[in-house]
């Protein structure tokens, strides 16, 4: 196929030629700002995220109800994978690993999400019609620079 195994979007036809846009032509989403994340989650203001603050960001218990299994699983995740130095709290570096894992490829994940949600015939290519049918996903996506990249002329591959 076109693109040597990389994800591509069919941008439309020019004459009798199909026009394709490589997914890496779209801009990568920005990294989340770690200090804002700490401030959002760090309820006691000590500059660290304790396990209860970590859980509290995802789950608010109802009085008298037992903690769901997934919350207990998240507590274990915190202990086993988030708190790298095992001091019972996350510092800025540990929060950075949690929020932005080194092996996480934002553009690829976003591109796959757009493809999965929009590729109705599941041929791993998006036609102009498939994009138009799901336009709200594209204009709301950082992968398309919130739709701006869809209006630019792209070279054929």
């Amino acid at each position: 196929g076109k693109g040597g195994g990389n994800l591509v979007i069919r941008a439309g036809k020019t004459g009798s030629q199909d026009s394709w846009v490589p997914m890496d032509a779209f801009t990568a989403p920005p990294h989340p700002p770690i200090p804002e994340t700490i401030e959002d989650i760090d309820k006691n203001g000590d500059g660290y995220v304790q396990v209860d603050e970590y859980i509290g960001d995802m789950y608010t218990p109802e009085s008298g109800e037992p903690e769901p299994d997934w919350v207990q699983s998240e507590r274990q995740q915190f202990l086993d994978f988030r708190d790298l130095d095992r001091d019972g709290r996350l510092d800025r570096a540990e929060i950075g690993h949690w929020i932005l894992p080194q092996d996480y490829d934002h553009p690829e994940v976003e591109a796959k999400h757009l493809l999965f949600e929009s590729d109705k015939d599941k041929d791993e290519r998006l036609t102009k019609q498939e994009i138009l049918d799901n336009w709200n996903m594209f204009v709301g996506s950082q992968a398309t620079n919130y739709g701006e990249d869809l209006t630019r002329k792209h070279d054929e591959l």
Side-chain angles (χ1 to χ4, degrees), residues 51 73 83 140 157:
V51 68
S73 174
D83 183 16
L157 297 177

Side-chain angles (χ1 to χ4, degrees), residues 9-12 14 19-22 24-28 128 131 141-156:
I9 290 180
R10 182 176 172 193
T14 53
S19 176
W20 298 91
V21 179
D24 60 7
F26 297 112
T27 57
K128 184 176 182 181
I131 293 171
S141 171
Q142 291 177 326
T144 64
N145 196 20
Y146 301 101
E148 283 186 33
D149 289 342
L150 297 175
T151 63
R152 295 198 181 110
K153 293 276 187 209
H154 295 280
D155 294 335
E156 293 178 11

Side-chain angles (χ1 to χ4, degrees), residues 30-39 41 47-49 54 78 81-84 89-104 106:
H31 295 168
I34 291 172
E36 287 180 27
T37 302
I38 291 176
E39 289 165 14
I41 300 172
Y48 297 93
V49 174
Y54 173 81
F78 180 94
F81 302 109
R82 306 280 184 241
D83 183 16
L84 301 175
R89 62 190 188 179
L90 304 184
D91 60 26
R92 286 181 184 275
E94 290 166 325
I95 291 167
H97 285 287
W98 165 35
I99 293 172
L100 194 65
Q102 299 304 310
D103 58 354
Y104 189 78
H106 287 278

Side-chain angles (χ1 to χ4, degrees), residues 19-85:
S19 176
W20 298 91
V21 179
M23 289 308 298
D24 60 7
F26 297 112
T27 57
H31 295 168
I34 291 172
E36 287 180 27
T37 302
I38 291 176
E39 289 165 14
D40 290 345
I41 300 172
D42 177 21
K43 299 304 181 201
N44 69 6
D46 67 354
Y48 297 93
V49 174
Q50 279 76 19
V51 68
D52 288 335
E53 292 170 326
Y54 173 81
I55 296 299
D57 187 52
M58 299 176 270
Y59 170 74
T60 305
E62 298 293 325
S63 60
E65 99 178 356
E67 200 170 77
D69 289 344
W70 73 266
V71 173
Q72 292 176 18
S73 174
E74 282 296 329
R75 283 186 189 282
Q76 200 59 48
Q77 283 274 103
F78 180 94
L79 297 172
D80 293 344
F81 302 109
R82 306 280 184 241
D83 183 16
L84 301 175
D85 62 7

Side-chain angles (χ1 to χ4, degrees), residues 119-127 130:
D119 185 21
K120 295 305 176 205
D121 61 7
K122 301 301 176 200
D123 65 352
E124 296 190 1
R125 298 178 188 276
L126 296 179
T127 63
E130 286 172 324

